[in-house]
Amino acid sequence: MAKEVKTIGVLTSGGDAPGMNAAIRAVVRTAINKGMKVKGIMRGYAGLLQEEIIDMESTNVSNIIYRGGTILYTARCMEFMTPEGQELGAEICRKHGIDGLVVIGGDGSFRGAGKLAALGVNTVGVPGTIDLDIACTDYTIGFDTAVNTAMEAIDRVRDTSTSHERCSIIEVMGRNAGYIALWCGIANGAEDILLPERYDGNEQALINRIIANRKAGKKHNIIINAEGIGHSTSMARRIEAATGIETRATILGYMQRGGTPTCKDRVYASIMGAKAATLLAEGRSNRLVAYKNGEYVDFDIQEALQMKKDIPDEQYEISKMLVR
Ligand code: ADP
Ligand code: F6P
């Protein structure tokens, strides 16, 4: 029979995401409701190794559901990538009586959680990243807020771009993943979308489309460029030189990662956080909470990390078709 879980820990790791606070709140309150104690681990795995561990009561998570960022702070930690760092992390969990750990983060954070699970600390991951790039789940905490923030910002750039009859390259976040770019491309009616998963580097083809659009009477030309392709400023200079059309670059940057979470992010994060604490209460370990085909489910961490995710061809083709 699984050992009774008396105390769980919760940490946030990797890039922060709006809705992480809602997930923390759900973990803490679900655990307390199920008779467990909760410890908050500050600054992800870095804080674990530094033993930055605090007791968390229900009141510690009051008034946070609407706040962006993470009250536990987040960090990246090289030491935890080593077997020695992971051993130390597991030892610190044991020292503090932490029988189970909820890790809210992305792929890298789940790799760390898998290592702790192998060392005997029960772990459950909750997908928190604005990039939507975790294969086993259709939803990641923060994507909805980030994509709405980016969409609103792009609408504003579009207004001024139209007034000045300019071409605009707008860079959105996503180092390896183009989901924010794809969704904004569709939602903002962008003339072109450059995704790390798809872009072939053919700038001349892009220039030809801009010229054709101008001939067809388009007053602006919005190109959404994902961070993973980058170089928006130099690209704008080259496009202006080649087309004779004034071209500006706007890099939206970290404003996409902050801000008050949308209703969707708050609700999904609450359900996922509650599910994570429940799994630990049941003595489960090495699981990743996910939202798949309309249901909240959980996967083995290693199996989940082996799954592959790509931009859906249909969505990409539709995004292109709707602006021609
Ligand atoms: P994300 O979780 O958003 O993908 P990172 O890839 O930066 O962000 O990972 C966050 C942290 O998770 C890293 O700083 C490191 O401490 C830990 N981590 C990442 N990969 C591994 C790994 N292979 N083994 C152990 N820990 C890892
Ligand atoms: O949170 C995801 C993400 O925003 C990626 O799109 C981006 O590549 C990365 O984080 C950048 O994070 P940082 O600059 O904090 O390392």
Side-chain angles (χ1 to χ4, degrees):
M1 216 179 94
K3 180 172 141 262
E4 193 194 353
V5 176
K6 294 197 179 114
T7 302
I8 66 168
V10 56
L11 61 80
T12 48
S13 167
D16 69 339
M20 279 184 165
N21 282 328
I24 295 167
R25 172 177 174 271
V27 169
V28 170
R29 293 201 170 158
T30 304
I32 290 170
N33 270 296
K34 290 183 180 291
M36 299 185 289
K37 288 198 161 58
V38 190
K39 297 200 185 242
I41 298 163
M42 312 299 286
R43 300 180 180 79
Y45 295 120
L48 175 64
L49 299 189
Q50 297 296 318
E51 295 188 58
E52 292 183 64
I53 299 171
I54 56 165
D55 291 328
M56 292 191 87
E57 307 295 340
S58 193
T59 49
N60 294 123
V61 291
S62 298
N63 298 316
I64 66 166
I65 196 165
Y66 66 92
R67 282 168 56 191
T70 158
I71 59 160
L72 293 176
Y73 301 99
T74 186
R76 295 193 165 92
C77 175
M78 288 312 287
E79 190 185 351
F80 196 74
M81 308 278 277
T82 64
E84 296 74 25
Q86 294 149 18
E87 283 280 359
L88 178 61
E91 206 178 296
I92 290 169
C93 285
R94 281 189 284 274
K95 177 176 162 192
H96 288 263
I98 295 171
D99 316 303
L101 181 65
V102 177
V103 173
I104 306 167
D107 272 358
S109 305
F110 302 146
R111 286 202 174 82
K115 302 278 168 54
L116 279 178
L119 292 166
V121 181
N122 288 359
T123 55
V124 175
V126 173
T129 166
I130 64 164
D131 287 346
L132 196 69
D133 61 345
I134 296 172
C136 70
T137 184
D138 299 335
Y139 167 82
T140 62
I141 296 169
F143 174 75
D144 190 58
T145 306
V147 83
N148 274 290
T149 302
M151 180 191 75
E152 284 170 21
I154 293 164
D155 280 344
R156 290 165 204 264
V157 177
R158 184 192 176 104
D159 286 345
T160 169
S161 210
T162 311
S163 305
H164 288 263
E165 299 177 73
R166 283 176 177 154
C167 172
S168 266
I169 302 182
I170 306 171
E171 189 172 310
V172 298
M173 269 188 152
R175 196 178 290 159
N176 304 308
Y179 291 96
I180 296 179
L182 174 68
W183 278 56
C184 286
I186 297 172
N188 295 100
E191 274 65 34
D192 254 295
I193 316 174
L194 311 182
L195 312 179
E197 298 89 340
R198 290 283 190 281
Y199 185 53
D200 59 5
N202 188 348
E203 206 164 283
Q204 190 54 51
L206 184 64
I207 288 166
N208 294 345
R209 285 195 294 275
I210 296 168
I211 294 169
N213 287 343
R214 188 50 61 107
K215 279 193 184 139
K218 288 209 181 212
K219 294 292 182 208
H220 61 231
N221 200 106
I222 304 288
I223 300 162
I224 313 273
N225 184 28
E227 175 194 353
I229 294 164
H231 303 290
S232 297
T233 307
S234 55
M235 203 185 276
R237 271 199 299 271
R238 288 192 297 274
I239 289 173
E240 182 165 309
T243 61
I245 299 167
E246 260 195 316
T247 304
R248 296 281 197 273
T250 306
I251 298 168
L252 297 183
Y254 292 110
M255 54 101 74
Q256 296 160 93
R257 225 160 65 177
T260 185
T262 58
C263 177
K264 182 169 178 174
D265 271 328
R266 297 180 201 192
V267 172
Y268 280 54
S270 298
I271 294 170
M272 287 181 155
K275 189 168 170 66
T278 303
L279 286 166
L280 287 177
E282 290 166 355
R284 311 283 301 280
S285 179
N286 201 38
R287 307 301 295 174
L288 190 45
V289 175
Y291 182 78
K292 197 77 192 159
N293 302 325
E295 280 182 59
Y296 295 93
V297 291
D298 55 281
F299 291 95
D300 174 274
I301 288 184
Q302 279 71 31
E303 283 174 19
L305 289 175
Q306 270 161 26
M307 295 178 190
K308 296 272 173 273
K309 189 171 194 175
D310 196 9
I311 294 290
D313 285 330
E314 188 184 25
Q315 289 179 28
Y316 184 56
E317 292 311 321
I318 288 173
S319 76
K320 290 194 287 183
M321 185 180 66
L322 294 184
V323 290
R324 304 275 177 257

